[in-house]
Amino acid sequence: MIKMNPVNTLATIFAVTCLFLLWSPMAGALPSRESLCIQPKVIYGVDNRQEYYEINDPFVKDLADSTLALVDRRQLQNLPGAQYKLAGRQYGSAYGLCTTEPYYSQQISAFCTGFLVAPNLVATAGHCIQSQAECQNTQLVFGFAVKGPQAQDDIFDDQQVYSCAELIKSEIANSGADYAVIRIDRMAIGRSSLELRSQGELSVGDEVFVIGHPSGLPVKIAGGARVRAVKNEFYVANLDTYGGNSGSPVFNSKTGQVEGILVRGETDYIAKDGCNISNSCANDGCRGEDFTKIRHVIDAIK
């Protein structure tokens, strides 16, 4: 359950955020994404998000290479030579942010995050893809990342762009499991399936990190988090995540295995001096961020 900030301006912030998720001037009316508007996240302690190019560990970069952006198919323009141009909006203006907010000028395009669990299977949050119709209106884009200072790409080749061909399973429970498994139109080329934890589970205090597309931004890697609670169907941790991170893989910092799927959390933004900034909580404060246990995906793909 989302704990709403009582500040009166928050209702306006949420309305703007939801409006962007449901409609884009580049893409026209988007498929229904109403459920995304109740899945916000937040920053805990210091902002631990890093760009792809800032990561020195090749193993972590490989994990990011198997993570993808879910975008509306109308945001992709076909170009000559089997290439695609990805449309988007400027992050800062789309969310009415203060100019000091990190990543203010970057392009936002993703409505959710997903990750490769088999050569032609992708896992994400259940509220991201709820029906076969939504599946068919969704494209999956690998490599939506900042790969050097001021080097955000919006052109992708055929080996980076896939279609959602079939929704295998989607489950949503407001205070429980939230996951989906989809089949893509062909085998993913040049990318490895992520390793899913198949035995045992996390404990309170275990270190985790997340890779995904906060607020639709190019991929960010955020560590420095620990498990705060272990529930029946999900975990709670102090992960630095936002809407758009829904569907992100949450990894065990020691093993690199996927432990779960990011699905719910605290309010994203608060108003300050006439613009919006990221909400910030103490590491042990606010509600925490929920991620569905990966066993649900394992059961769905058996």
Side-chain angles (χ1 to χ4, degrees), residues 202-203 205-209 224-227 251-254 259:
L202 292 166
S203 300
D206 285 348
E207 296 182 6
V208 291
F209 67 98
R226 292 181 181 273
V227 175
F251 298 91
N252 187 310
S253 296
K254 290 185 178 180
E259 297 280 2

Side-chain angles (χ1 to χ4, degrees), residues 144-222:
F144 180 43
V146 177
K147 297 181 180 177
Q150 309 302 318
Q152 179 179 333
D153 294 333
D154 62 356
I155 305 296
F156 301 88
D157 63 37
D158 191 54
Q159 294 186 4
Q160 295 175 285
V161 179
Y162 297 80
S163 298
C164 179
E166 178 189 2
L167 175 61
I168 295 173
K169 186 166 185 180
S170 181
E171 181 178 331
I172 311 166
N174 289 334
S175 58
D178 182 341
Y179 69 97
V181 177
I182 60 179
R183 191 184 313 279
I184 54 178
D185 60 320
R186 62 198 190 280
M187 300 292 185
I189 299 172
R191 299 177 192 276
S192 301
S193 305
L194 296 179
E195 183 180 353
L196 313 181
R197 181 169 182 166
S198 59
Q199 294 183 331
E201 64 175 30
L202 292 166
S203 300
V204 171
D206 285 348
E207 296 182 6
V208 291
F209 67 98
V210 63
I211 300 178
H213 295 276
S215 296
L217 286 161
V219 71
K220 304 289 183 278
I221 298 90

Side-chain angles (χ1 to χ4, degrees), residues 29-93:
L30 299 182
S32 176
R33 301 288 191 240
E34 286 87 350
S35 59
L36 294 179
C37 302
I38 60 168
Q39 308 295 333
K41 291 87 182 174
V42 69
I43 293 295
Y44 291 84
V46 298
D47 189 344
N48 290 298
R49 292 173 297 170
Q50 291 182 281
E51 299 284 15
Y52 181 89
Y53 78 89
E54 295 174 324
I55 299 299
N56 295 318
D57 188 336
F59 177 72
V60 175
K61 281 195 168 183
D62 284 345
L63 299 180
D65 289 339
S66 296
T67 305
L68 54 91
L70 274 64
V71 307
D72 184 87
R73 65 182 308 132
R74 289 164 291 184
Q75 290 179 255
L76 282 167
Q77 175 188 355
N78 290 327
L79 299 177
Q83 290 190 316
Y84 302 86
K85 181 177 176 63
L86 179 62
R89 296 180 65 187
Q90 186 194 58
Y91 175 46
S93 60

